[in-house]
């Protein structure tokens, strides 16, 4: 995983247990079947075969056998393959291959609750709320409303509207809640955005009624 516009680190998972001189190795990174991402040709960086979008965006750390992909974007997501060939008795022979999958993460804004109509609330009136968060990636799992009063919290799962920016590929999400204004009890309403198993959740500032 890598944050959007940061450096992604892709490992070859190569130990070089035989201590082969890098001048006898060709290290070749590719994405998919056709795109050449990086090439170290018997100790020297080689740029002739690179796919144009990776030129000046990659560095290979030969001590850690790790490729740095600079300014990682959503279009860079996908499967990468590292192939290492050893020049032995003249003809190169593949001695190692590995694959890694790159996922890009962009932080969503803190969810924010908007109230319609604004102004003074009267008991038993209808209250329309919307909760929004923007500029994130990947698409979130769900948005849940938390309604708390008298030491009890109710969870409401409402429909979540998701839109994706055509250019940036980042997501904006909104959920709407329609409730009756409670009588004679303080109620706190929050909105929780679930981003996925490893990314956790974001919660709004609670709205007190």
């Amino acid at each position: 995983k890598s944050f959007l516009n940061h450096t992604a680190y892709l490992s070859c998972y190569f130990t070089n247990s035989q201590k082969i001189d890098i001048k006898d190795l060709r290290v070749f990174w590719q994405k998919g079947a056709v795109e050449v991402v990086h090439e170290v040709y018997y100790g020297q960086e080689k740029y002739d075969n690179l796919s144009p979008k990776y030129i000046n965006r990659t560095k290979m750390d030969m001590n850690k056998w790790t490729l740095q992909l600079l300014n990682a974007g959503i279009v860079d997501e996908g499967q990468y393959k590292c192939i290492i060939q050893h020049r032995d008795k003249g003809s190169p022979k593949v001695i190692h291959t590995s694959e890694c999958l790159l996922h890009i993460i962009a932080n969503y804004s803190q969810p924010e609750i908007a109230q319609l109509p604004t102004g003074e609330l009267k008991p038993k009136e209808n209250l329309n709320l919307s909760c929004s968060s923007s500029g994130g990636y990947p698409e979130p799992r769900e948005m849940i409303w938390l309604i708390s009063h008298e030491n009890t919290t109710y969870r409401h799962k409402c429909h979540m509207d998701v839109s994706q920016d055509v250019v940036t590929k980042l997501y904006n999400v909104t959920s709407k809640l329609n409730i009756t204004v409670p009588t004679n009890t303080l109620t706190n309403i929050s909105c929780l955005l679930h981003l996925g198993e490893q990314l956790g959740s974001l919660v709004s500032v609670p709205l007190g009624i």
Side-chain angles (χ1 to χ4, degrees):
K1 289 185 171 68
S2 174
F3 280 102
L4 181 68
N5 300 327
H6 286 58
T7 299
Y9 294 88
L10 308 173
S11 178
C12 267
Y13 303 105
F14 181 60
T15 56
N16 196 16
S17 52
Q18 296 175 16
K19 305 282 186 264
I20 302 167
D21 192 321
I22 61 166
K23 292 191 176 76
D24 292 322
L25 293 175
R26 181 182 177 223
V27 184
F28 187 77
W29 278 93
Q30 68 182 50
K31 185 185 181 201
V34 292
E35 288 187 301
V36 179
V37 178
H38 195 86
E39 188 177 0
V40 180
Y41 190 79
Y42 303 122
Q44 297 294 316
E45 309 270 352
K46 191 179 177 187
Y47 306 103
D48 309 5
N49 302 319
L50 295 195
S51 175
K53 70 180 182 190
Y54 295 108
I55 291 170
N56 297 327
R57 288 186 58 218
T58 55
K59 287 182 196 168
M60 183 78 190
D61 183 339
M62 298 300 283
N63 294 316
K64 296 179 180 170
W65 302 95
T66 298
L67 182 74
Q68 297 176 33
L69 177 59
L70 311 179
N71 198 28
I74 291 167
V75 293
D76 295 316
E77 279 199 318
Q79 191 93 24
Y80 289 80
K81 191 170 190 177
C82 170
I83 301 158
I84 299 178
Q85 295 177 332
H86 180 211
R87 179 167 53 185
D88 187 27
K89 300 188 179 72
S91 58
K93 185 176 74 175
V94 175
I95 58 167
H96 178 84
T97 61
S98 65
E99 292 187 354
C100 56
L101 192 59
L102 176 63
H103 295 285
I104 299 296
I105 304 161
N107 284 327
Y108 281 84
S109 63
Q110 183 181 17
E112 206 169 297
I113 295 177
Q115 175 184 325
L116 290 169
T118 53
E120 195 177 337
L121 297 172
K122 297 184 179 131
K124 297 189 178 173
E125 263 188 345
N126 262 3
L127 176 62
N128 292 310
L129 300 176
S130 74
C131 180
S132 303
S133 174
S134 61
Y137 191 90
E139 190 175 345
R141 292 282 173 85
E142 59 185 2
M143 205 173 234
I144 293 174
W145 291 86
L146 304 174
I147 302 170
S148 304
H149 49 79
E150 296 175 345
N151 300 327
T152 308
T153 299
Y154 301 94
R155 296 164 71 88
H156 281 267
K157 187 177 172 183
C158 299
H159 174 71
M160 179 175 70
D161 286 314
V162 180
S163 63
Q164 187 177 26
D165 189 286
V166 178
V167 178
T168 65
K169 305 295 182 194
L170 299 177
Y171 289 99
N172 299 323
V173 293
T174 303
S175 178
K176 291 184 168 62
L177 177 71
N178 184 290
I179 61 165
T180 305
V181 176
T183 53
N184 306 324
T185 178
L186 175 66
T187 299
N188 276 320
I189 299 175
S190 302
C191 163
L192 185 71
L193 181 65
H194 276 301
L195 300 175
E197 287 167 19
Q198 295 169 316
L199 299 175
S201 303
L202 291 172
V203 67
S204 69
V205 174
L207 174 71
I209 300 170

